[in-house]
């Protein structure tokens, strides 16, 4: 019940295309859903995050869509660029009381072809 | 430096030896996480420290793994009697309060057991 399942494992997109990565969770107590971006040789860095009181959050070319009833959330990268090539991780935690640990999905390796 | 610092950046050890990995979190961050990332794999949760609460050790894979956090700051992850399957990148992260606050990752320690 503590798992976060992420798909696909890898993704290849042409420059200018839309990249979509999906995550699903079971624990309804999760109330914070961040996405992290990791470049080779670096630690992951926060990209964008959402709480379940909204269905969508957009920051530039990056959008999180959240479906509470389906217990699913997804990352959309619009106008994908070669510089977006990285590994993306979804995560979830129980933010109430600020005591929750972050549980990560398995990661998606994105390659954007020029 | 204002970021999370991990040392050493690389460690090669012989099978059966003990190793200690160090993490210096961002000053003032009460939450500290350890994760393990095997080649091409996701972020496997190991242990979570939050303030003065008892650490969440539910992710430690065996009793050869232990971690401590002294004075609410520096943390050390110890692996006893290392095995080849322990080879991975060990990532440390810290956040202001855990839960729904941004986690900042270090660069990781790449451990190779030969």
């Amino acid at each position: 019940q503590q798992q976060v399942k992420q798909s696909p494992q890898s993704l290849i997109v042409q420059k200018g295309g839309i990249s979509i990565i999906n995550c699903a969770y079971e624990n309804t107590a999760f109330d914070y859903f961040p996405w992290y971006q990791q470049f080779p040789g670096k630690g992951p860095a926060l990209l964008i995050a959402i709480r379940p009181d909204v269905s969508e959050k957009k920051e530039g070319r990056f959008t999180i869509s959240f479906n509470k009833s389906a217990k699913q959330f997804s990352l959309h990268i619009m106008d994908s660029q070669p510089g977006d090539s990285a590994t993306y991780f979804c995560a979830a935690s129980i933010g109430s009381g600020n005591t929750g640990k972050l549980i990560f999905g398995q990661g998606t390796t994105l390659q954007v072809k020029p | 430096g204002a970021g999370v610092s991990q040392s050493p950046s690389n460690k090669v050890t012989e099978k059966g030896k003990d190793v200690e990995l160090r993490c210096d979190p961002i000053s003032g961050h009460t939450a500290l996480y350890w994760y393990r990332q095997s080649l091409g794999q996701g972020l496997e949760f190991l242990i979570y420290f939050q303030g003065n609460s008892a650490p969440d050790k539910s992710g430690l894979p065996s009793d050869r793994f232990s971690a401590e956090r002294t004075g609410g700051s520096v943390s050390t992850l110890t692996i006893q009697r290392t095995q080849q399957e322990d080879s991975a990148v060990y990532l440390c992260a810290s956040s202001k309060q855990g839960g729904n606050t941004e986690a900042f990752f270090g660069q990781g320690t790449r451990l190779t057991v030969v």
Side-chain angles (χ1 to χ4, degrees):
Chain A
Q1 204 182 24
Q2 288 290 318
Q3 286 186 325
V4 178
K5 296 182 180 179
Q6 183 172 345
S7 63
Q9 187 174 4
S10 63
L11 183 61
I12 300 175
V13 173
Q14 291 294 130
K15 179 182 175 181
I18 302 173
S19 304
I20 302 175
I21 305 170
N22 301 297
C23 283
Y25 63 97
E26 288 295 323
N27 189 347
T28 56
F30 286 145
D31 60 0
Y32 175 66
F33 303 91
W35 284 88
Y36 280 76
Q37 180 188 53
Q38 184 181 32
F39 293 104
K42 303 290 186 182
L46 179 66
L47 185 63
I48 185 172
I50 197 168
R51 289 177 172 74
D53 53 344
V54 296
S55 60
E56 185 176 282
K57 183 174 182 180
K58 183 176 181 180
E59 289 184 1
R61 295 183 295 107
F62 301 91
T63 299
I64 300 178
S65 296
F66 185 82
N67 186 330
K68 188 174 182 177
S69 61
K71 292 185 285 187
Q72 295 176 346
F73 58 110
S74 61
L75 176 69
H76 296 234
I77 306 175
M78 312 300 288
D79 186 26
S80 299
Q81 299 297 311
D84 297 331
S85 297
T87 300
Y88 293 81
F89 293 96
C90 63
S93 72
I94 300 170
S96 303
N98 296 321
T99 57
K101 64 191 178 192
L102 272 172
I103 302 297
F104 284 87
Q106 288 300 101
T108 297
T109 301
L110 171 65
Q111 181 184 359
V112 181
K113 291 193 169 183
Chain B
V4 176
S5 177
Q6 292 187 246
S7 61
S9 54
N10 282 284
K11 176 72 176 179
V12 180
T13 190
E14 292 181 351
K15 178 181 173 182
K17 300 286 189 182
D18 297 352
V19 294
E20 285 188 352
L21 311 180
R22 178 187 169 104
C23 174
D24 283 272
I26 293 173
S27 178
H29 281 192
T30 63
L32 187 146
Y33 311 79
W34 283 98
Y35 292 90
R36 180 169 68 177
Q37 186 171 29
S38 302
L39 187 63
Q41 298 300 307
L43 297 167
E44 177 188 4
F45 168 76
L46 297 177
I47 189 168
Y48 171 60
F49 296 91
Q50 168 52 23
N52 296 320
S53 302
D56 181 337
K57 303 180 181 180
S58 60
L60 294 178
S62 76
D63 59 7
R64 296 186 296 105
F65 288 73
S66 63
E68 63 177 20
R69 188 177 185 193
T70 54
S73 182
V74 172
S75 178
T76 302
L77 177 68
T78 301
I79 309 173
Q80 296 179 311
R81 306 181 302 282
T82 52
Q83 304 295 313
Q84 287 187 330
E85 60 263 28
D86 299 335
S87 297
V89 175
Y90 289 82
L91 288 161
C92 174
S94 72
S95 68
K96 280 187 180 178
Q97 293 174 299
N100 57 9
T101 57
E102 180 178 355
F104 294 83
F105 280 82
Q107 298 273 60
T109 293
R110 180 174 297 279
L111 175 65
T112 304
V113 182
V114 297

